[in-house]
Amino acid sequence: MDFKNISIRGRMAYLLCTFESILNFYNCEKEKWCWILEKLWQYTSMEYLDDWMYMMAEYMPESILEDKMEDIEFITENEIKELKILYTNCPKEINKMLRIVFELGTIDLYSKLQNYSPNTLEKLKEGMDFAIRICGKLPDKSEFEKYKYTEGNGWGIPFDGKKFSLYLLN
């Protein structure tokens, strides 16, 4: 599938739908994941994506499970406890896919986008390949084609991506 003409926000929305398909495949409980998905989906609607990056870095599995969490700015002690349980008890594939989602959103954040952002295209392909190995299928791409790479310097215009969520609106 060719995603060159889809903005990075559109690519992120697609990959978040793919991530949610993996959560669904593993029968992950909606109520345990909704609050973290709310934060992930903010990527599509935030104007300043570096704010998303700094916030989400504290919510990543490796931060929660491996770091001492000193100098935390966004996450609460209670959220840390909840995420430790969530990330420890979920399949390792979910934590890996969460890392891929984060990397797609941040890999070119401080770069001048050129040639349709090959870094984000490669990260998207990595996530798609990973999801196919797990679930055997991917979301329909056509819903995301309206989010043009030609808008917002490749990042696209902010939009409410939550409307695509399997977990947040259903």
Side-chain angles (χ1 to χ4, degrees):
M1 282 192 269
D2 184 12
F3 283 81
K4 284 197 315 191
N5 293 317
I6 297 175
S7 70
I8 294 175
R9 280 186 173 89
R11 294 171 195 177
M12 176 62 93
Y14 184 85
L15 195 61
L16 284 169
C17 287
T18 305
F19 175 64
E20 288 186 359
S21 295
I22 292 172
L23 292 175
N24 200 41
F25 177 82
Y26 284 113
N27 297 312
C28 295
E29 297 176 49
K30 286 185 180 188
E31 55 275 357
K32 290 186 179 179
W33 283 94
C34 279
W35 66 280
I36 193 75
L37 287 167
E38 284 276 350
K39 294 179 183 315
L40 288 165
W41 277 104
Q42 287 178 17
Y43 188 93
T44 61
S45 60
M46 282 183 115
E47 185 175 350
Y48 301 107
L49 295 173
D50 53 339
D51 291 343
W52 181 90
M53 177 189 72
Y54 293 124
M55 174 188 65
M56 286 312 303
E58 292 184 7
Y59 288 84
M60 288 292 97
E62 56 275 9
S63 296
I64 298 297
L65 299 174
E66 299 168 14
D67 290 351
K68 292 180 182 169
M69 298 303 290
E70 297 170 353
D71 300 321
I72 56 175
E73 188 176 340
F74 300 97
I75 195 167
T76 67
E77 293 291 333
N78 193 43
E79 288 174 327
I80 292 170
K81 289 175 189 170
E82 285 183 49
L83 286 175
K84 276 186 182 178
I85 293 167
L86 187 65
Y87 293 155
T88 301
N89 293 322
C90 73
K92 67 183 184 324
E93 291 84 359
I94 291 173
N95 292 346
K96 179 176 176 161
M97 186 62 170
L98 196 49
R99 167 49 60 189
I100 294 170
V101 167
F102 181 75
E103 289 175 358
L104 171 71
T106 59
I107 196 166
D108 274 345
L109 202 53
Y110 293 107
S111 303
K112 182 177 184 219
L113 297 182
Q114 298 177 348
N115 302 319
Y116 301 98
S117 180
N119 290 331
T120 62
L121 289 169
E122 288 171 25
K123 194 53 67 175
L124 179 60
K125 182 174 179 348
E126 179 184 348
M128 291 165 54
D129 291 346
F130 189 67
I132 287 173
R133 285 194 302 275
I134 295 168
C135 310
K137 62 181 181 174
L138 293 170
D140 181 11
K141 171 188 154 210
S142 64
E143 293 286 326
F144 304 89
E145 292 173 343
K146 63 184 163 197
Y147 303 108
K148 303 289 184 197
Y149 184 83
T150 55
E151 299 174 335
N153 297 316
W155 297 98
I157 305 300
F159 66 95
D160 182 10
K162 292 177 193 172
K163 64 185 173 189
F164 296 113
S165 176
L166 298 170
Y167 276 56
L168 299 180
L169 298 179
N170 297 329

